[in-house]
Amino acid sequence: MEMDGNAVLAKALREQGVEYVFGIVGIPVVELSMAMQAEGLKYIGMRNEQSACYAAQAIGYLTGKPGVCLVVSGPGLLHVTGGMANAQVNCWPLLVIGGSTSEDHEGIGGFQECPQVELSRPYCKYAARPPSVTLIPLHVEKAVRLACYGRPGASYLDFPGNLLTAKLTEDVIPSQYVHPVGPIPFPSPSLVEQAAQRLFSAKRPLVIVGKGAAYGRAELQVRQLIHQTNLPFLPTPMGKGVVPDTDPQCIAPARTLALQKADVILLLGARLNWILHFGRAPRFNPDVKIIQVDFSAEEMHNSVLSNVAIQSDLVPFTEQLIEELAKKTFRFDFRNEWWVDLKSKCDKNRKMVEQMALNTETPLNYYAVFHHLQQYIPKDAIIVSEGANTMDIGRTMLHNKLARHRLDAGTFGTMGVGLGFAIAAALFCRDRYPGKKVICVEGDSAFGFSGMEIETMVRYQLPVVIVIVNNGGIYAGFDKQTYDDMRSGGDLTQVTPASALTHETRYEKMMSMFDMKGHFVRTVPELQTAVKEALIATDKPTIINVAISPQADRKPQEFKWLTESKL
């Protein structure tokens, strides 16, 4: 039987276990999208290439198998480099497939001609153009394997138009093996013993649970470790839910105290980057001893010299550490001064936040919105969040009970990821966990990056609840009188603050484009009614547009959230 390059590529993807494709079609990949659907792949047509790339990597994180982002040549590929970089920095598996100008048009001004393989290399682990149709399966296997093995990341495959339309008989295509399950690195027993001894000797121990623990499916072992030892733990933003945020041993409200005073820190799948202030003083105890456990050898000693550095999958490491600590009958005493200090600080900060949350005067503040939203959303919902204050305050107020149930701007701090992530999460829930809800909480600025993906959600009947926390600006906005006064005279490009957005934009009216209803909310009762109504929907998205005080801010902080350079 005769096959063309489109059919060979689609079949190779299916054979490697790829399930989802997100993209925008055009020359030369229209027929490829059809071939993918003919092979049984799930194709989701997006409205923006960046969003398609964000959705593909989010499905990779949720399933452990890379999603495909399919784009056209030239500008199409260039538009996804931001998404490729995000996947690479976030360590999420992704495969980008780009069409490109036919090889016989290269060098003479071909349509959208662009050095795509070379441009992709800085943003991925593997970038290649199969030199012939017969070699397509080989490159697909390698691209999928490298996206998953070791530290996960992005792969790119380039397909000129003439390669996709070239035909040959099926019998000359060499069969490819499905890439095997990745090797699991086990820890050195002596290093596990050293880690156990460090914790046993600690006066102020702390466990930091990172996104790597979530991706590594280590939640059962990490929970057992925490509960058998009585150790306090602090989750990173996407490490939330590995152990439930509501667990009494979660000391997130005392984050600053915990980092400053801990004398031994067990780092489980978290990196000492900007999110954790590089592990350095003054945010950390200058004499702290770090036990670093990571799948990736490249991460060891990256910012500070770890006292015990262990390259290992987190599941076998945690299992062995539990055994070592059991031999020492280690169980940290809740009456210990360290626990007393942590609980006291947690209680103090919770009361401060509670006072702000219970202030329901209009316009509302962030804390009131999130407090009452938390009361109504399901405890097992996947929460997608992006924005500035919206994301930062939201991660402290909106709790996660389960691992891999929070998706946000991540290590790269990328804005515009929200709706793409939410589309991936909704597809994942529909296929794996029917009835599970996806709550997408957006700042109004962040929503503007990808707002038209609401049409994608409508087209594919995805019941995402989008909550826009609308303060009319980036970080902060302005009340209507101030906004109007500032713009009352002169060149608007000179007098409109760079951080300002239009006051109380009615984003919820976008739903009327589809003869559907959105919600504009000013008060807590209106928010409660809107959320309850939105959660009933099983086949459509909705927008809840919450107008808050333009000057609403987070509670006072002992340190700025971002450690500043000293140079």
Side-chain angles (χ1 to χ4, degrees):
M1 186 177 76
E2 196 172 58
M3 301 177 68
D4 65 9
N6 291 308
V8 172
L9 174 53
K11 181 181 178 182
L13 291 168
R14 179 182 57 77
E15 288 177 341
Q16 296 303 324
V18 170
E19 187 176 356
Y20 298 93
V21 182
F22 303 84
I24 298 179
V25 298
I27 296 171
V29 297
V30 176
E31 291 77 12
L32 176 56
S33 67
M34 298 175 184
M36 289 172 164
Q37 290 180 312
E39 275 292 340
L41 302 180
K42 297 178 180 181
Y43 180 85
I44 300 91
M46 305 286 284
R47 298 304 300 266
N48 176 282
E49 284 105 343
Q50 286 184 343
S51 291
C53 199
Y54 298 141
Q57 63 194 257
I59 208 74
Y61 173 67
L62 293 169
T63 65
K65 178 71 70 171
V68 168
C69 176
L70 177 65
V71 294
V72 300
S73 50
L77 184 278
L78 289 172
H79 287 169
V80 302
T81 52
M84 293 166 71
N86 190 70
Q88 191 76 343
V89 174
N90 244 9
C91 305
W92 287 1
L94 166 72
L95 173 56
V96 176
I97 291 177
S100 59
T101 191
S102 294
E103 290 169 298
D104 57 322
H105 290 173
E106 290 181 340
I108 56 173
F111 175 65
Q112 295 184 331
E113 182 181 351
C114 187
Q116 295 174 191
V117 176
E118 291 84 353
L119 286 169
S120 299
R121 281 207 174 97
Y123 311 110
C124 51
K125 296 175 67 179
Y126 180 66
R129 171 188 288 184
S132 68
V133 175
T134 57
L135 290 175
I136 287 175
L138 180 148
H139 283 275
V140 169
E141 186 279 326
K142 187 173 183 180
V144 172
R145 172 162 43 89
L146 293 185
C148 298
Y149 273 30
R151 175 186 281 182
S155 291
Y156 174 68
L157 291 178
D158 192 66
F159 290 92
N162 62 298
L163 185 65
L164 293 173
T165 57
K167 295 182 179 181
L168 72 176
T169 56
E170 188 174 6
D171 60 297
V172 303
I173 302 173
S175 58
Q176 269 309 311
Y177 56 83
V178 176
H179 78 271
V181 175
I184 298 176
F186 274 64
S188 163
S190 65
L191 291 178
V192 176
E193 187 176 350
Q194 288 182 40
Q197 184 58 43
R198 285 284 186 189
L199 289 169
F200 183 76
S201 304
K203 294 181 179 179
R204 297 182 302 279
L206 175 67
V207 179
I208 298 180
V209 181
K211 179 172 70 240
Y215 184 78
R217 274 66 177 169
E219 53 265 33
L220 293 179
Q221 291 76 16
V222 174
R223 291 180 186 193
Q224 183 182 354
L225 172 67
I226 295 297
H227 293 145
Q228 286 189 196
T229 61
N230 291 346
L231 288 169
F233 77 92
L234 175 70
T236 65
M238 273 190 278
K240 285 161 59 71
V242 172
V243 185
D245 290 338
T246 53
D247 191 286
Q249 288 171 242
C250 177
I251 49 82
R255 183 179 191 270
T256 296
L257 174 67
L259 295 181
Q260 276 193 309
K261 300 297 184 181
D263 62 354
V264 174
I265 291 177
L266 173 60
L267 204 63
L268 296 177
R271 290 178 278 180
L272 292 176
N273 54 23
W274 66 272
I275 293 176
L276 287 174
H277 316 286
F278 313 107
R280 299 174 182 176
R283 296 304 300 266
F284 281 69
N285 178 348
D287 298 319
V288 66
K289 304 296 187 288
I290 302 290
I291 304 166
Q292 185 178 19
V293 188
D294 202 285
F295 195 98
S296 173
E298 294 88 344
E299 194 58 39
M300 300 304 169
H301 313 295
N302 193 42
S303 176
V304 297
L305 181 64
S306 298
N307 300 90
V308 185
I310 306 171
Q311 183 191 10
S312 176
D313 184 279
L314 287 179
V315 170
F317 166 80
T318 310
E319 290 174 344
Q320 293 183 30
L321 180 62
I322 290 169
E323 291 179 7
E324 283 295 325
L325 291 172
K327 293 177 187 176
K328 299 177 181 293
T329 62
F330 174 77
R331 197 168 180 83
F332 200 65
D333 193 340
F334 283 129
R335 296 169 297 179
N336 182 283
E337 183 180 356
W338 179 228
W339 257 122
V340 172
D341 289 346
L342 289 171
K343 287 181 178 178
S344 175
K345 189 66 171 179
C346 283
D347 290 343
K348 179 181 177 181
N349 284 341
R350 284 194 186 103
K351 287 177 183 177
M352 184 187 304
V353 168
E354 186 176 297
Q355 289 178 344
M356 299 176 76
L358 295 179
N359 178 6
T360 57
E361 295 180 4
T362 56
L364 297 170
N365 64 52
Y366 288 101
Y367 295 89
V369 172
F370 292 137
H371 173 74
H372 292 91
L373 179 61
Q374 174 67 44
Q375 291 181 328
Y376 284 88
I377 62 177
K379 299 297 183 285
D380 66 344
I382 293 180
I383 298 173
V384 180
S385 184
E386 66 169 331
N389 289 338
T390 297
M391 181 177 67
D392 295 334
I393 300 172
R395 67 169 57 123
T396 68
M397 300 289 292
L398 301 176
H399 301 312
N400 290 100
K401 178 182 178 182
L402 301 170
R404 299 172 298 282
H405 277 56
R406 181 182 171 85
L407 306 172
D408 69 18
T411 310
F412 211 30
T414 307
M415 290 295 105
V417 298
L419 272 65
F421 282 4
I423 287 168
L427 288 163
F428 173 76
C429 291
R430 185 165 70 186
D431 294 344
R432 266 57 165 201
Y433 304 99
K436 185 184 286 287
K437 296 297 183 180
V438 177
I439 314 297
C440 182
V441 185
E442 299 274 304
D444 51 331
S445 172
F447 179 75
F449 281 77
S450 57
M452 275 312 299
E453 296 300 342
I454 189 73
E455 188 273 333
T456 308
M457 296 178 182
V458 171
R459 195 170 2 117
Y460 291 98
Q461 299 182 332
L462 302 175
V464 178
V465 179
I466 302 172
V467 180
I468 301 173
V469 185
N470 186 351
N471 69 349
I474 302 170
Y475 298 110
F478 300 90
D479 63 80
K480 189 175 189 316
Q481 186 63 55
T482 302
Y483 180 79
D484 289 344
D485 288 347
M486 286 188 303
R487 293 162 47 85
S488 60
D491 183 343
L492 293 182
T493 64
Q494 296 288 305
V495 299
T496 305
S499 62
L501 300 174
T502 306
H503 182 74
E504 287 192 358
T505 301
R506 298 297 296 269
Y507 298 105
E508 82 288 350
K509 291 189 176 182
M510 292 178 69
M511 298 307 303
S512 66
M513 297 188 294
F514 315 104
D515 293 325
M516 296 179 184
K517 178 185 176 184
H519 305 266
F520 182 67
V521 167
R522 291 186 187 277
T523 67
V524 167
E526 290 172 345
L527 174 63
Q528 294 169 332
T529 299
V531 173
K532 286 189 283 187
E533 186 174 319
L535 289 171
I536 295 171
T538 59
D539 63 350
K540 60 185 178 183
T542 192
I543 295 175
I544 302 173
N545 183 16
V546 187
I548 68 167
S549 169
Q551 296 301 311
D553 203 353
R554 65 179 72 188
K555 71 178 181 64
Q557 294 176 285
E558 296 175 52
F559 284 89
K560 292 183 179 180
W561 66 270
L562 182 62
T563 299
E564 295 182 352
S565 173
K566 300 296 189 295
L567 298 179

Short mmCIF file of all heavy atoms in Angstrom, two decimals, residues 11-31:
data_model
loop_
_atom_site.label_atom_id
_atom_site.label_comp_id
_atom_site.label_asym_id
_atom_site.label_seq_id
_atom_site.Cartn_x
_atom_site.Cartn_y
_atom_site.Cartn_z
N LYS A 11 1.15 7.97 11.73
CA LYS A 11 1.24 6.60 12.25
C LYS A 11 2.37 6.49 13.27
O LYS A 11 2.22 5.84 14.32
CB LYS A 11 1.44 5.62 11.11
CG LYS A 11 1.50 4.16 11.56
CD LYS A 11 1.72 3.23 10.38
CE LYS A 11 1.82 1.77 10.84
NZ LYS A 11 2.10 0.85 9.71
N ALA A 12 3.50 7.11 13.00
CA ALA A 12 4.64 7.05 13.92
C ALA A 12 4.30 7.69 15.26
O ALA A 12 4.69 7.18 16.32
CB ALA A 12 5.85 7.74 13.29
N LEU A 13 3.57 8.79 15.22
CA LEU A 13 3.17 9.44 16.47
C LEU A 13 2.25 8.53 17.29
O LEU A 13 2.42 8.38 18.51
CB LEU A 13 2.46 10.76 16.17
CG LEU A 13 3.34 11.88 15.61
CD1 LEU A 13 2.48 13.02 15.09
CD2 LEU A 13 4.31 12.41 16.68
N ARG A 14 1.29 7.92 16.61
CA ARG A 14 0.38 7.02 17.33
C ARG A 14 1.14 5.85 17.92
O ARG A 14 0.89 5.45 19.08
CB ARG A 14 -0.72 6.52 16.40
CG ARG A 14 -1.70 5.55 17.07
CD ARG A 14 -2.75 5.04 16.11
NE ARG A 14 -2.17 4.38 14.94
CZ ARG A 14 -1.67 3.14 14.96
NH1 ARG A 14 -1.65 2.43 16.06
NH2 ARG A 14 -1.18 2.61 13.84
N GLU A 15 2.09 5.29 17.17
CA GLU A 15 2.84 4.14 17.66
C GLU A 15 3.70 4.49 18.88
O GLU A 15 4.00 3.62 19.70
CB GLU A 15 3.72 3.59 16.55
CG GLU A 15 2.92 2.88 15.46
CD GLU A 15 3.79 2.40 14.30
OE1 GLU A 15 4.94 2.90 14.16
OE2 GLU A 15 3.32 1.53 13.56
N GLN A 16 4.08 5.77 19.02
CA GLN A 16 4.86 6.19 20.19
C GLN A 16 3.98 6.62 21.36
O GLN A 16 4.48 7.12 22.36
CB GLN A 16 5.81 7.33 19.81
CG GLN A 16 6.87 6.94 18.80
CD GLN A 16 7.73 5.76 19.25
OE1 GLN A 16 8.02 5.62 20.44
NE2 GLN A 16 8.11 4.91 18.32
N GLY A 17 2.68 6.41 21.21
CA GLY A 17 1.78 6.68 22.32
C GLY A 17 1.29 8.10 22.44
O GLY A 17 0.64 8.46 23.43
N VAL A 18 1.58 8.93 21.43
CA VAL A 18 1.08 10.31 21.45
C VAL A 18 -0.43 10.28 21.29
O VAL A 18 -0.98 9.53 20.48
CB VAL A 18 1.74 11.15 20.34
CG1 VAL A 18 1.06 12.50 20.20
CG2 VAL A 18 3.22 11.32 20.62
N GLU A 19 -1.11 11.12 22.06
CA GLU A 19 -2.58 11.10 22.07
C GLU A 19 -3.19 12.42 21.62
O GLU A 19 -4.22 12.42 20.96
CB GLU A 19 -3.05 10.77 23.49
CG GLU A 19 -4.54 10.56 23.62
CD GLU A 19 -4.95 10.14 25.03
OE1 GLU A 19 -4.04 9.93 25.88
OE2 GLU A 19 -6.16 10.03 25.28
N TYR A 20 -2.58 13.54 22.00
CA TYR A 20 -3.18 14.86 21.76
C TYR A 20 -2.29 15.71 20.85
O TYR A 20 -1.07 15.73 20.99
CB TYR A 20 -3.36 15.60 23.07
CG TYR A 20 -4.30 14.93 24.05
CD1 TYR A 20 -3.80 14.06 25.02
CD2 TYR A 20 -5.67 15.17 24.02
CE1 TYR A 20 -4.64 13.46 25.94
CE2 TYR A 20 -6.52 14.57 24.92
CZ TYR A 20 -6.00 13.71 25.89
OH TYR A 20 -6.84 13.11 26.80
N VAL A 21 -2.95 16.45 19.95
CA VAL A 21 -2.27 17.41 19.08
C VAL A 21 -3.02 18.73 19.18
O VAL A 21 -4.25 18.78 19.03
CB VAL A 21 -2.24 16.95 17.62
CG1 VAL A 21 -1.49 17.96 16.75
CG2 VAL A 21 -1.64 15.55 17.49
N PHE A 22 -2.30 19.81 19.43
CA PHE A 22 -2.88 21.15 19.49
C PHE A 22 -2.19 21.99 18.43
O PHE A 22 -0.96 21.94 18.28
CB PHE A 22 -2.63 21.78 20.86
CG PHE A 22 -3.15 20.98 22.02
CD1 PHE A 22 -2.39 19.94 22.55
CD2 PHE A 22 -4.38 21.25 22.57
CE1 PHE A 22 -2.86 19.20 23.63
CE2 PHE A 22 -4.86 20.51 23.64
CZ PHE A 22 -4.09 19.48 24.18
N GLY A 23 -2.95 22.77 17.67
CA GLY A 23 -2.27 23.55 16.65
C GLY A 23 -3.16 24.48 15.87
O GLY A 23 -4.34 24.64 16.16
N ILE A 24 -2.56 25.09 14.88
CA ILE A 24 -3.25 25.92 13.90
C ILE A 24 -2.71 25.51 12.53
O ILE A 24 -1.50 25.53 12.31
CB ILE A 24 -3.01 27.43 14.14
CG1 ILE A 24 -3.56 27.84 15.51
CG2 ILE A 24 -3.65 28.26 13.04
CD1 ILE A 24 -3.35 29.30 15.86
N VAL A 25 -3.61 25.13 11.63
CA VAL A 25 -3.16 24.58 10.35
C VAL A 25 -3.05 25.66 9.28
O VAL A 25 -3.62 26.74 9.39
CB VAL A 25 -4.11 23.46 9.87
CG1 VAL A 25 -4.11 22.31 10.84
CG2 VAL A 25 -5.52 24.00 9.65
N GLY A 26 -2.30 25.33 8.26
CA GLY A 26 -2.08 26.17 7.09
C GLY A 26 -1.06 25.44 6.23
O GLY A 26 -0.66 24.30 6.55
N ILE A 27 -0.63 26.07 5.17
CA ILE A 27 0.38 25.45 4.31
C ILE A 27 1.66 25.25 5.12
O ILE A 27 2.11 26.17 5.81
CB ILE A 27 0.67 26.35 3.09
CG1 ILE A 27 -0.60 26.47 2.23
CG2 ILE A 27 1.82 25.83 2.27
CD1 ILE A 27 -0.50 27.50 1.13
N PRO A 28 2.28 24.06 5.15
CA PRO A 28 1.96 22.85 4.39
C PRO A 28 1.41 21.71 5.25
O PRO A 28 1.64 20.54 4.94
CB PRO A 28 3.33 22.47 3.84
CG PRO A 28 4.26 22.79 4.99
CD PRO A 28 3.66 23.97 5.70
N VAL A 29 0.69 22.03 6.36
CA VAL A 29 0.33 20.96 7.30
C VAL A 29 -1.17 20.68 7.40
O VAL A 29 -1.61 19.97 8.30
CB VAL A 29 0.89 21.28 8.71
CG1 VAL A 29 2.41 21.33 8.70
CG2 VAL A 29 0.30 22.56 9.28
N VAL A 30 -1.96 21.20 6.45
CA VAL A 30 -3.41 20.94 6.50
C VAL A 30 -3.68 19.44 6.38
O VAL A 30 -4.42 18.84 7.18
CB VAL A 30 -4.15 21.71 5.39
CG1 VAL A 30 -5.63 21.35 5.38
CG2 VAL A 30 -3.97 23.22 5.58
N GLU A 31 -3.07 18.81 5.38
CA GLU A 31 -3.30 17.38 5.16
C GLU A 31 -2.72 16.55 6.31
O GLU A 31 -3.25 15.48 6.62
CB GLU A 31 -2.67 16.94 3.84
CG GLU A 31 -3.36 17.48 2.59
CD GLU A 31 -3.01 18.94 2.30
OE1 GLU A 31 -2.06 19.46 2.94
OE2 GLU A 31 -3.68 19.56 1.46
#
